[in-house]
Amino acid sequence: MKILAWHVHASWMTSFVQGDHDYLVPVLPDRGPDGRGRALTYEWPSAVREVRPAELADEDIDVVVLQRLSELQLFQRWSGRALGRHGVPAVYVEHNTPRGDVDEWIHPLAARADIPIVHVTQFNAMAWDNGLAPTVVIEHGVPDYGYQYTGRLDSLAVAVNEPVRRWRVAGLDLVQRISQYVPVGVYGMGADQLAGRFGPGLAATDDLSQKELHARTANHLAYLHSCRWTSLGLSLVEAMTLGCPVLVIASTAAPESVPAQAGVVSSDPDVLARTALRWQSDRAEARDVGLAARLHALDHFGLPRFLDEWNRILKEVCR
């Protein structure tokens, strides 16, 4: 089938476009948020084709995969067609946890029964008030990037985009606390803005290609997932696939996604720091934990399962 989807989250999209379909991604001259086009630092198959807004009206689209509320209006304005029961079939991928007071966690599409909401974690599906909208959970899936772990560095790896803007949500204050005991390398867009905010225990590297990020991550002692309030980060799943042992703040979907043999999950940053110090002196334990993390990731977050589940929901929506 022919699927239209905006390039919003590159890591998630990299997995999604591995299916046996044709994928259209809107592109604008400035490659801004509403038209990023094909990813420039990720490897996408040739089945992903860029499409300009003016071309959408002539495209025979089978289904639209929405990821932001604004895309409903964008599609109608650009294509002249509606979405849902009286237009082109659509699903809405909810990548995020709700914001605000718990009584206000009503999903923006809760009043629509014609556009299913696909949550990426069971936690998200539970936390949101989905109202009338049909809901389904399709957990993350990632390709097998191969076992790459070396752990030759004594530091931890953190991957987060815009860490200054997302300071508390992404748990950068917790990273700062842990970096007083164990060095930390932070990777992601805008990581260079951390300069001066940390002591000597932090190194920051701005945007890298996915391949280079994986190679850098695998050289660290362990991967640190510091997010307080967010969906399960794909960078965590990818690190596990690489064979990295993981240290994880116990929040949202993390506790049920990382088994005990794959790393340490705790709401106490000091527990994570002490574990990292132990792994520094016991590399064999760190390597064994990383191997268990990889086996779990391949079994639970494998790409075939992810694509099969997406095929089912897309076929149901198109029927």
Side-chain angles (χ1 to χ4, degrees):
M1 61 183 69
K2 186 180 290 186
I3 302 168
L4 174 71
W6 274 259
H7 171 188
V8 177
H9 299 285
S11 291
W12 181 87
M13 193 74 165
T14 297
S15 295
F16 181 71
V17 298
Q18 302 303 318
D20 296 325
H21 304 290
D22 294 320
Y23 304 89
L24 302 179
V25 289
V27 64
L28 293 170
D30 63 355
R31 291 189 175 269
D34 290 336
R36 289 193 174 105
R38 287 178 56 93
L40 302 179
T41 56
Y42 288 69
E43 295 181 5
W44 285 5
S46 59
V48 183
R49 176 166 60 88
E50 294 181 342
V51 58
R52 296 190 299 271
E55 299 171 328
L56 277 180
D58 297 324
E59 291 286 353
D60 187 16
I61 297 168
D62 294 302
V63 61
V64 178
V65 176
L66 305 162
Q67 300 171 75
R68 300 170 301 168
L69 193 62
S70 60
E71 292 168 6
L72 281 87
Q73 288 74 38
L74 280 176
F75 180 78
Q76 187 165 2
R77 187 167 76 244
W78 290 353
S79 72
R81 288 172 282 180
L83 290 171
R85 183 175 296 111
H86 303 295
V88 180
V91 298
Y92 188 99
V93 184
E94 183 50 75
H95 291 284
N96 301 312
T97 44
R99 298 287 189 266
D101 186 86
V102 64
D103 290 329
E104 300 168 350
W105 290 357
I106 302 172
H107 198 276
L109 294 184
R112 295 195 64 157
D114 61 338
I115 298 181
I117 301 172
V118 179
H119 292 283
V120 298
T121 68
Q122 292 288 351
F123 181 90
N124 279 15
M126 176 277 299
W128 281 103
D129 179 352
N130 298 293
L132 299 175
T135 61
V136 65
V137 175
I138 300 181
E139 293 187 285
H140 290 316
V142 299
D144 181 3
Y145 297 106
Y147 181 74
Q148 299 184 37
Y149 179 71
T150 69
R152 63 180 182 81
L153 303 176
D154 282 336
S155 54
L156 307 177
V158 174
V160 57
N161 289 327
E162 299 183 79
V164 173
R165 180 181 67 82
R166 303 173 61 209
W167 185 263
R168 281 191 57 80
V169 169
L172 267 296
D173 57 315
L174 306 178
V175 175
Q176 187 177 42
R177 179 170 161 181
I178 292 171
S179 72
Q180 297 173 10
Y181 305 94
V182 184
V184 177
V186 179
Y187 300 92
M189 292 183 293
D192 57 333
Q193 297 175 12
L194 291 172
R197 289 176 173 259
F198 280 73
L202 175 122
T205 305
D206 208 7
D207 200 21
L208 298 172
S209 70
Q210 186 185 41
K211 186 175 182 179
E212 189 172 5
L213 175 60
H214 288 167
R216 299 265 192 115
T217 298
N219 284 333
H220 288 270
L221 172 67
Y223 183 82
L224 173 61
H225 181 68
S226 59
C227 294
R228 264 195 185 88
W229 190 248
T230 184
S231 292
L232 189 71
L234 264 168
S235 56
L236 168 63
V237 179
E238 290 173 355
M240 293 170 69
T241 302
L242 298 174
C244 300
V246 295
L247 301 167
V248 184
I249 291 295
S251 183
T252 62
E256 59 189 3
S257 302
V258 181
Q261 69 271 20
V264 174
V265 181
S266 175
S267 57
D268 185 349
D270 291 339
V271 170
L272 304 184
R274 288 197 298 268
T275 303
L277 290 172
R278 188 177 75 243
W279 286 347
Q280 282 182 348
S281 59
D282 191 345
R283 298 306 177 104
E285 180 190 353
R287 184 169 55 253
D288 289 345
V289 172
L291 286 169
R294 172 170 164 78
L295 289 176
H296 174 74
L298 293 177
D299 179 60
H300 192 80
F301 297 105
L303 196 59
R305 186 272 309 162
F306 174 81
L307 294 175
D308 285 347
E309 292 183 8
W310 265 106
N311 281 339
R312 283 199 295 271
I313 186 63
L314 292 174
K315 288 177 182 177
E316 289 174 10
V317 169
C318 287
R319 278 200 298 266

